């Protein structure tokens, strides 16, 4: 057995108490929110700082998986600043100008502002990005994404949340959602920091999961333990998740997800520089630049071109934007959304109410249907026939009668689920 490997596995047979401990620790870890958990964004960048992850193998005291999860849960870091390198490789097909046009349409279609954070989240789909983060308690945080000769920033300061796109000179403003009693404020957007990603992974820790401590590493010059999370079930596209946890503070410093298919990581996010000191108060100050177009919340009607930033008087009366859809909202408007399976092999099943993929005849889409079908694999079964659209992590089967089966599972698992439903 490896010197740092836990002698227990979450949900292992004959160890019910230990499994309960892991689940309890996981719940605590999932509830804790590091203040850097601001709306996450990313964009193509230059000048990447070389990652220091796994550059050493420090000698640290032995620790079990349960103890390490508890260490994450008890982490109380409120102040930090640093640089995070985020790489995402979902294996999406390159669509060239079409892909750019689609992203541009989403950006302009969400409130009409290129600075809208929910639009910027689309840019996480692929590529390598550098994000600078800073935090001072639950009410002050800043995330900046570096671009070619430009920068996109989100600043949360007290009741105000500002987003600024220097390339278009556009500003998006809203008020921070009121915190529930006894809880910190936290957005519900796509996670991008190692802490956010780790929390999402820990929510999946149950009896379908193996959790061990897999040695040590150095990340951004700091000693860390490596928490290894692996599905026990077959059929999942998730091979393993590794979370490098700061040995001193318990803060996740690096998150890596590798697929069962092998190759490069699907998601690799880690600090390349980090400091746990109080950032300067001016870090969280923001005033719309002269001439900037400011959009309030979700209502583009309230926007105007500012001739002088001092003329802006909208923050007092601004209203919070509609929240991004949660997992539970994704099925609204769909017929009979349900899930089959459990744990890492869970598959979402719903009926679009349509006719599935067009066959390719001129009356059903012609060249468009042929293009769409070229991106997927045609399959047959008890359900009839359909097309599987694949990435390195998430796959979806659309049958010819309009049924959809999707999840972080293999193509064979989707076909099996569709056969079982018929």
């Amino acid at each position: 057995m490896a010197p740092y490997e836990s002698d227990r596995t979450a949900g292992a047979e004959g160890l019910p108490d230990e499994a309960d401990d892991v689940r309890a620790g996981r719940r605590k870890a999932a509830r804790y929110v590091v203040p850097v958990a601001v709306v996450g964004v990313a964009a193509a960048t230059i000048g990447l700082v070389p990652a220091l992850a796994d550059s050493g193998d420090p000698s640290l005291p032995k620790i079990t998986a349960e103890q390490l999860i508890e260490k994450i849960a008890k982490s109380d870091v409120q102040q930090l600043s640093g640089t995070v390198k985020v790489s995402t490789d979902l294996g999406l097909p390159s669509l060239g100008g079409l892909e750019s046009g689609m992203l541009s349409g989403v950006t302009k279609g969400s409130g009409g502002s290129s600075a809208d954070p929910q639009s910027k989240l689309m840019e996480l789909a692929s590529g390598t990005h550098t994000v600078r983060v800073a935090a001072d308690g639950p009410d002050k945080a800043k995330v900046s994404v570096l671009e070619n000769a430009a920068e996109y920033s989100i600043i949360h300061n007290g009741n105000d949340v500002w987003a600024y796109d220097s390339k278009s000179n556009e500003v998006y403003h809203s008020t921070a959602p009121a915190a529930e009693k006894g809880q910190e404020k936290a957005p519900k957007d796509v996670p991008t920091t190692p802490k956010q990603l780790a929390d999402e992974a820990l929510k999946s820790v149950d009896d379908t999961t193996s959790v061990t401590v897999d040695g040590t590493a150095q990340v951004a010059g700091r000693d860390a333990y490596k928490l290894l999370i692996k599905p026990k079930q077959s059929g999942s596209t998730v091979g393993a998740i590794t979370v490098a946890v700061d040995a001193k503070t318990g803060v996740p410093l690096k998150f890596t997800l590798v697929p069962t298919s092998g190759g490069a990581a699907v998601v690799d996010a880690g600090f390349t520089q980090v400091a746990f000191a109080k950032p300067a108060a001016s870090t969280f100050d923001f005033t719309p630049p002269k001439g900037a177009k400011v959009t309030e919340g979700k209502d583009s009607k309230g926007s105007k071109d500012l001739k002088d930033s001092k003329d802006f008087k909208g923050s007092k009366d601004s209203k919070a934007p509609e929240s991004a859809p949660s997992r539970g909202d994704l099925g609204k408007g769909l017929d009979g959304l349900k899930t089959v399976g459990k744990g890492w092999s869970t598959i979402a099943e719903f009926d679009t109410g349509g006719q599935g993929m067009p066959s390719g005849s001129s009356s059903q889409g012609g060249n468009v249907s042929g293009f769409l079908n070229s991106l997927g694999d045609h399959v047959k079964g008890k359900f009839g026939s359909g097309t599987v659209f694949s990435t390195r992590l998430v796959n979806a089967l659309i049958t010819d009668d309009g049924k959809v089966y999707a999840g972080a599972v293999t193509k064979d698992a989707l076909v099996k689920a569709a056969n079982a439903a018929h």
Side-chain angles (χ1 to χ4, degrees):
M1 182 172 63
Y4 291 96
E5 185 176 6
S6 169
D7 55 355
R8 304 172 206 158
T9 299
E13 185 177 357
L15 296 171
D17 294 337
E18 289 81 350
D20 289 342
D21 289 343
V22 170
R23 285 191 287 272
R26 178 258 303 173
R27 287 191 291 270
K28 291 180 181 179
R31 287 198 301 267
Y32 178 78
V33 180
V34 167
V36 298
V38 191
V39 177
V41 297
T45 63
I46 60 174
L48 300 180
V49 181
L52 298 177
D54 301 328
S55 61
D57 189 14
S59 177
L60 294 171
K62 291 183 179 180
I63 190 171
T64 66
E66 293 85 356
Q67 290 170 335
L68 190 52
I69 290 175
E70 195 67 19
K71 192 175 187 70
I72 298 172
K74 290 180 178 179
S75 180
D76 60 354
V77 170
Q78 296 288 309
Q79 300 169 334
L80 64 78
S81 59
T83 302
V84 179
K85 179 180 177 181
V86 182
S87 295
T88 308
D89 182 7
L90 290 171
L92 294 171
S94 177
L95 304 181
L98 176 61
E99 181 181 31
S100 300
M102 292 171 63
L103 291 177
S104 176
V106 171
T107 297
K108 289 298 182 182
S110 183
S113 174
S114 67
D116 187 342
Q118 293 187 33
S119 300
K120 284 292 182 177
L121 291 178
M122 293 296 295
E123 297 177 12
L124 282 172
S126 64
T128 297
H129 322 286
T130 292
V131 183
R132 289 177 180 166
V133 299
D136 184 8
D139 296 322
K140 291 185 177 183
K142 181 177 182 179
V143 173
S144 296
V145 181
L146 306 182
E147 299 180 285
N148 287 323
E151 184 174 306
Y152 178 83
S153 296
I154 298 176
I155 304 98
H156 176 197
N157 193 345
N159 293 326
D160 291 305
V161 176
W162 298 93
Y164 177 57
D165 185 355
S166 69
K167 181 183 296 183
S168 62
N169 199 27
E170 292 192 25
V171 175
Y172 182 92
H173 173 257
S174 67
T175 54
E180 296 181 16
K181 186 176 181 181
Q183 295 185 2
E184 294 177 340
K185 298 174 183 177
K188 298 179 180 180
D189 295 279
V190 176
T192 56
T193 66
K195 172 61 181 175
Q196 291 173 288
L197 291 161
D199 282 345
E200 290 299 312
L202 289 171
K203 290 177 184 178
S204 301
V205 174
D206 56 19
D207 58 2
T208 69
T209 310
S210 168
V211 183
T212 58
V213 178
D214 187 33
T216 63
Q218 275 201 334
V219 180
R222 298 185 65 87
D223 293 348
Y225 292 102
K226 294 194 295 185
L227 185 69
L228 181 63
I229 304 170
K230 297 181 69 174
K232 289 182 178 180
Q233 301 165 294
S234 61
S236 174
T237 54
V238 177
I241 293 172
T242 302
V243 181
V245 182
D246 187 66
K248 185 175 181 180
T249 66
V251 172
L253 299 175
K254 194 172 193 295
F255 175 97
T256 304
L257 186 157
V258 296
T260 53
S261 59
V266 172
V267 179
D268 189 55
F271 282 99
T272 58
Q273 296 176 342
V274 65
F276 297 102
K278 180 182 177 70
S282 60
T283 302
F284 311 104
D285 293 338
F286 180 78
T287 300
K290 183 177 180 178
K293 177 184 177 181
V294 178
T295 300
E296 282 294 311
K298 281 288 185 180
D299 186 4
S300 59
K301 294 179 182 179
S303 66
K304 64 177 181 177
D305 292 329
L306 295 186
K307 303 306 179 184
D308 190 328
S309 61
K310 293 182 180 178
D311 293 338
F312 182 69
K313 307 292 184 183
S315 60
K316 180 179 179 181
D317 299 322
S318 62
K319 57 185 178 180
E322 298 173 11
S323 60
S326 64
R327 288 191 185 98
D329 296 330
L330 295 178
K332 289 184 177 180
L334 299 175
D335 183 17
L337 177 69
K338 63 179 181 179
T339 59
V340 295
K342 61 179 292 189
W344 301 87
S345 298
T346 300
I347 296 172
E349 175 188 341
F350 57 90
D351 191 338
T352 65
Q355 298 298 315
M357 292 296 299
S359 65
S361 66
S362 58
S363 62
Q364 291 182 306
N367 292 334
V368 173
S369 65
F371 170 72
L372 291 175
N373 276 297
S374 71
L375 299 178
D377 295 328
H378 196 67
V379 294
K380 293 183 178 181
K382 294 180 181 179
F383 54 87
S385 60
T387 305
V388 175
F389 296 92
S390 301
T391 70
R392 299 178 67 220
L393 187 63
V394 178
N395 296 319
L397 164 62
I398 304 177
T399 64
D400 287 352
D401 61 357
K403 301 292 194 308
V404 177
Y405 304 84
V409 297
T410 63
K411 179 176 70 174
D412 290 344
L414 293 176
V415 171
K416 183 178 179 180
N419 282 332
H422 285 72

